[in-house]
Amino acid sequence: LRSQPRPCENHSSFRPFLFPRGAVHRGGDWATCTMPPELGVSNAWLPLTHSAPASLEYIENASAHGALPLWWSKINGLWFYFAAGCSDLLWNVSRTLLARNRCHAALRLEHLACPSCTEQEAAERAGERLLGIGNKYALRELGLVQHRARTWLGLKNVTMGALLAECARGLHGNCSGSTWRPDGTLRLCSCLPPRGHAVGKSAPQWADRTALDAPWRVAGGKRALTLSILAGAAWHDPRIGRLLRKLQLDTLQLWQQPQGGGSLAWTTEVWDVRELHLGAVSAERRIAALPAQHLAERMRRLSGPPWRLGQGTTEICAPSSRFVECLACANSSLEAVCAGVN
């Protein structure tokens, strides 16, 4: 057994939203303290699994019922899960930005777009943008966040920017202390030592520990449940997508992104915005139609079992017959996973 399990190994597993039906994902209880080193590196090849176009049906239904503005369905791009251990599709992330979650991404991008702003000013800008959406469902969700902040956390006059900044720190681990460091930078949450183990002492191996030992366990339930609504909301995406393109970034990586609806379960998500203007399905079809030379610049296939990332070789990836439904290479392990074959 390795000391660092991969996301798709079957321990404390759950099925993330739109995850391939033939695979399961480890719960965050089994994540290690340190972030996988391959994340946040521009031009890295990451093992990913597609989370669309089933999303198209969701987006269209949500838009029809007013849960999402109609223009949001046109801002989609390509969404993936980081899936080392069960995916042999390697995707080149090109110019990328790493964030803890959607709140952190919104803050970072506003700061990059306004270099003269402090991080705190960038958070307030992001909060104001969020409140300015005007969609009744968005305002209802944001109102719930504010209500919980007042009643659960005792924050009576907190701004949306301050809540967004607190959310940007993360939902899991040690989130004690003030939101901002003395130098004005964001104080990110850090991992926790195993319960019953002093800092610096030997920690149990991941295969032997319980959820109580998890370094990214939730230490403050009411805080996490309040902010998870904000971190999981799709209302951030139109502004985030536009800023990514304005800043000439191709992908966004969200290391600890919670599932929507207030869930505390998290995965690592990757959003490719190079086809942002095409929306769902059209983006998948465009990728499948790329000439072989250009396709090879975007995706490769990992030879051998998916868990041998970093040990195996790569080869050319020919799109599978159901590529639009699941971005997978022909005759690959991921193709079988997407078909529900274990």
Side-chain angles (χ1 to χ4, degrees), residues 276-290:
L276 187 66
H277 60 290
L278 294 179
V281 175
S282 297
E284 285 82 358
R285 288 174 178 156
R286 181 183 184 280
I287 297 297
L290 285 175

Side-chain angles (χ1 to χ4, degrees), residues 5 17 26 61 106 113 130 141 163 165 180 195 204-205 236 242 258 280:
F17 178 63
R26 279 189 304 108
N61 288 339
L130 206 52
E141 279 196 343
L163 286 172
W180 304 101
R195 294 188 183 184
Q205 290 290 322
H236 298 279
R242 286 193 293 271

Side-chain angles (χ1 to χ4, degrees), residues 80-262:
F80 298 90
Y81 288 106
F82 176 63
C86 73
S87 175
D88 48 7
L89 170 71
L90 298 180
W91 191 264
N92 192 305
V93 296
S94 190
R95 297 163 295 187
T96 196
L97 179 74
L98 175 70
R100 186 67 59 99
N101 53 42
R102 272 185 171 95
C103 296
H104 193 210
L107 188 157
R108 289 205 64 193
L109 286 164
E110 291 290 352
H111 192 219
L112 289 170
C114 180
S116 63
C117 295
T118 65
E119 287 191 19
Q120 192 165 357
E121 289 169 340
E124 291 298 332
R125 285 165 61 98
E128 290 170 4
R129 297 274 188 180
L130 206 52
L131 287 173
I133 290 175
N135 178 273
K136 64 179 181 179
Y137 290 93
L139 295 176
R140 182 184 301 172
E141 279 196 343
L142 297 175
L144 177 59
V145 173
Q146 293 171 316
H147 173 73
R148 288 185 177 180
R150 289 192 302 269
T151 58
W152 288 8
L153 307 180
L155 302 174
K156 302 300 182 183
N157 298 308
V158 68
T159 65
M160 184 55 65
L163 286 172
L164 185 139
E166 186 62 26
C167 167
R169 299 179 63 200
L171 306 183
H172 303 78
N174 178 10
C175 301
S176 60
S178 60
T179 306
W180 304 101
R181 291 192 171 93
D183 64 358
T185 58
L186 190 69
R187 189 192 306 273
L188 292 170
C189 301
S190 58
C191 63
L192 290 158
R195 294 188 183 184
H197 290 74
V199 177
K201 293 291 185 66
S202 176
Q205 290 290 322
W206 66 268
D208 300 322
R209 71 184 187 214
T210 67
L212 297 179
D213 296 312
W216 293 108
R217 61 188 180 272
V218 173
K222 288 186 176 180
R223 175 189 179 277
L225 287 170
T226 298
L227 300 176
S228 64
I229 300 172
L230 199 54
W235 315 112
H236 298 279
D237 292 356
R239 176 66 176 169
I240 287 176
R242 286 193 293 271
L243 286 178
L244 286 168
R245 298 311 295 140
K246 178 181 178 181
L247 295 166
Q248 298 184 331
L249 292 164
D250 298 314
T251 58
L252 172 67
Q253 299 181 40
L254 303 172
W255 176 27
Q256 295 182 0
Q257 174 59 37
Q259 298 278 284

